[in-house]
Amino acid sequence: MNIVEVKIKANKESSYPIIIEQGLLDNAYKYIQKYTKANKFLVVTNDTIFNLYGKKLEHQNAEFIVLPDGEIYKTMESLNKILDKALEIKLERKDCIIALGGGVIGDMAGFAAAIYQRGIDFIQIPTTLLSQVDSSVGGKVAVNHTLGKNMVGAFYQPKLVLADTNTLNSLDKRQFKTGLSEVLKYAFIEKTCNANENFDLYDFLSKNRAEIYKKNPETLKRLIEICCKLKSVVVNQDEKEKGLRAILNFGHTYAHAIENITHYEKYTHGEAVSIGMKLIFDLAKSTNYISGEYYNKALKLITKYELLTELDFNPDKEEFYTSMQSDKKVSNQSINFVIPTNEYEVKIVNNIDKNTVLKGI
Ligand code: NAD
Ligand code: GLY
């Protein structure tokens, strides 16, 4: 069993464990009941995951709300359905919402927990690789608005994260690779995270590709642990994204624009992120932030994992740029880029001129 303790410097009440192990879902309430005094649970999930794992979360004191599957349902309407259900079953202040699913379910259920009766306990059971290494950790919860992704949300930390690596066995290759994009992101930002351990994630990924794709449970547990440690170190220093936390958006400035101009239908989030990482490495090379040698090394890992690196259409560059400007991380219309500067180091810059950016798209 691998355990990562998430501690938040500015918020002493928010420390919680991420437990990473095979088969946790078989005894989920044994862990859950250690971290909440809830009498009643509302399990939020979608139809795909309910059919796969719903039975494992049945409990005499648990009710389910099963939403339709998909990013298009990450809406205020679904949020309302969760809140309606919570009221209908008379969930009280000390009760608990459990998110069983990927990032879409985790983000929505967490936001419902944050606002229901001004905040009730919340537990994350992430079932995708992306949610196990990223979205279930750190407390960003949200729904989408018609005018922008994750535009309505909060920072609200869970009481516990249970990452059962067995759930990854039912994940298809495309979704698994989506999670791997976020994993590679951590390799490229590792040094700037300021962890007091050196994981050398780039090296780990270079050596363990075959075992990772075979879903070797021990390799996956270690991989998830490293990513969660890196993320928790960053969140500890900057929970509310006043500065450092923005490095977790490496590749995402482009990715959000890609998702936006393709209406969240063509690419998964991770696919957009891997294309975004390639574009930011291109930008860093063309502006001499990094050497050709590091550029080649970075690209070698992205291609080794067969992640997407190119759009398969020619975007309207102006539309693409405008879309980048509407990202949440923009201030005064200048785009913040998390740019690589050295091996596994990045920094945030906002002075790259439009023409240089357009040339690279
Ligand atoms: P997702 O939740 O849509 O899950 C992807 C697909 O896999 C869905 O069809 C889902 O039903 C299915 N699925 C989930 N678990 C499965 C399993 N074990 N076996 C088979 N199928 C399974 O997508 P995601 O990639 O997990 O998350 C993306 C979302 O996460 C986006 O909305 C993004 O904004 C959000 N996100 C949030 C954060 C954060 O910090 N809060 C970080 C990154 C991404
Ligand atoms: N996934 C980015 C963050 O949690 O800040």
Side-chain angles (χ1 to χ4, degrees):
M1 179 172 292
N2 304 38
I3 299 181
V4 178
E5 280 298 331
V6 184
K7 293 196 184 79
I8 293 172
K9 216 189 276 170
N11 183 354
K12 295 272 177 305
E13 276 174 29
S14 281
S15 76
Y16 54 93
I18 303 164
I19 303 178
I20 308 155
E21 183 53 280
Q22 289 176 262
L24 288 173
L25 277 184
D26 298 325
N27 283 304
Y29 287 99
K30 184 180 108 186
Y31 299 99
I32 289 169
Q33 279 166 331
K34 270 196 206 163
Y35 292 92
T36 173
K37 295 190 177 18
N39 290 327
K40 220 181 268 174
F41 303 98
L42 175 59
V43 182
V44 181
T45 191
N46 71 26
D47 40 16
T48 309
I49 303 153
F50 181 75
N51 290 334
L52 288 164
Y53 302 111
K55 274 229 155 332
K56 293 190 187 279
L57 266 259
E58 280 178 359
H59 184 278
Q60 60 200 16
N61 299 328
E63 300 259 0
F64 283 74
I65 172 147
V66 182
L67 297 163
D69 186 358
E71 180 78 34
I72 54 162
Y73 298 105
K74 191 177 169 184
T75 56
M76 294 293 283
E77 196 189 342
S78 298
L79 178 72
N80 264 331
K81 284 189 188 162
I82 302 172
L83 298 172
D84 287 350
K85 183 78 183 183
L87 285 164
E88 191 188 301
I89 65 165
K90 298 189 168 51
L91 219 59
E92 294 178 359
R93 209 57 190 283
K94 61 179 179 319
D95 290 333
C96 177
I97 288 183
I98 299 173
L100 173 68
V104 168
I105 288 295
D107 281 12
M108 277 196 296
F111 191 31
I115 58 177
Y116 182 74
Q117 297 190 356
R118 299 196 182 84
I120 64 170
D121 285 357
F122 165 51
I123 287 175
Q124 286 268 24
I125 307 187
T127 60
T128 59
L129 181 60
L130 181 139
S131 56
Q132 294 187 356
V133 298
D134 192 351
S135 64
S136 67
V137 181
K140 277 190 183 174
V141 293
V143 294
N144 299 333
H145 185 275
T146 39
L147 296 180
K149 191 170 149 74
N150 294 328
M151 281 292 166
V152 186
F155 288 96
Y156 195 68
Q157 303 294 338
K159 293 284 172 201
L160 169 70
V161 182
L162 288 178
D164 180 346
T165 50
N166 280 353
T167 61
L168 302 181
N169 293 331
S170 54
L171 205 61
D172 65 31
K173 191 163 181 190
R174 187 174 183 205
Q175 290 298 342
F176 190 67
K177 283 170 77 173
T178 265
L180 286 172
S181 290
E182 296 284 4
V183 167
L184 264 68
K185 167 192 87 179
Y186 289 109
F188 299 129
I189 65 171
E190 174 171 349
K191 281 194 184 160
T192 310
C193 293
N194 284 325
N196 50 18
E197 265 173 274
N198 175 16
F199 301 109
D200 203 345
L201 181 55
Y202 181 98
D203 189 55
F204 182 92
L205 288 168
S206 300
K207 290 182 177 144
N208 286 291
R209 183 196 177 281
E211 292 310 303
I212 288 171
Y213 269 113
K214 270 191 230 157
K215 299 186 181 170
N216 175 324
E218 290 310 315
T219 314
L220 288 182
K221 274 159 54 180
R222 178 64 180 148
L223 182 66
I224 296 163
E225 180 186 17
I226 294 173
C227 296
C228 289
K229 280 190 172 167
L230 288 169
K231 180 154 184 182
S232 67
V233 166
V234 171
V235 173
N236 176 8
Q237 299 168 75
D238 178 23
E239 181 192 16
K240 303 268 166 80
E241 200 167 314
K242 304 280 183 227
L244 181 74
R245 186 168 178 162
I247 68 168
L248 297 172
N249 296 316
F250 182 67
H252 285 57
T253 311
Y254 287 106
H256 289 150
I258 293 168
E259 288 182 281
N260 189 259
I261 61 173
T262 56
H263 312 291
Y264 303 94
E265 278 165 4
K266 191 171 170 63
Y267 299 106
T268 66
H269 178 65
E271 287 167 346
V273 168
S274 61
I275 298 170
M277 290 194 294
K278 158 78 163 54
L279 287 169
I280 195 69
F281 274 114
D282 287 347
L283 188 69
K285 190 171 147 235
S286 71
T287 49
N288 296 318
Y289 275 97
I290 55 168
S291 63
E293 199 185 338
Y294 180 43
Y295 177 85
N296 291 338
K297 187 171 176 179
L299 267 285
K300 193 171 161 194
L301 192 67
I302 299 175
T303 46
K304 183 172 183 137
Y305 275 83
E306 295 161 59
L307 302 182
L308 285 191
T309 51
E310 308 282 344
L311 291 171
D312 67 357
F313 66 101
N314 283 326
D316 176 326
K317 292 187 180 202
E318 284 294 335
E319 185 196 9
F320 196 113
Y321 193 82
T322 307
S323 194
M324 285 168 108
Q325 281 179 313
S326 61
D327 195 73
K328 279 198 296 309
K329 285 97 197 168
V330 164
S331 50
N332 300 328
Q333 289 305 296
S334 61
I335 301 175
N336 290 330
F337 288 98
V338 184
I339 200 150
T341 50
N342 218 328
E343 283 198 357
Y344 328 131
E345 287 176 26
V346 292
K347 80 172 184 186
I348 298 160
V349 297
N350 64 3
N351 58 352
I352 300 189
D353 73 275
K354 183 175 170 181
N355 282 338
T356 311
V357 177
L358 289 184
K359 247 189 250 161
I361 295 170

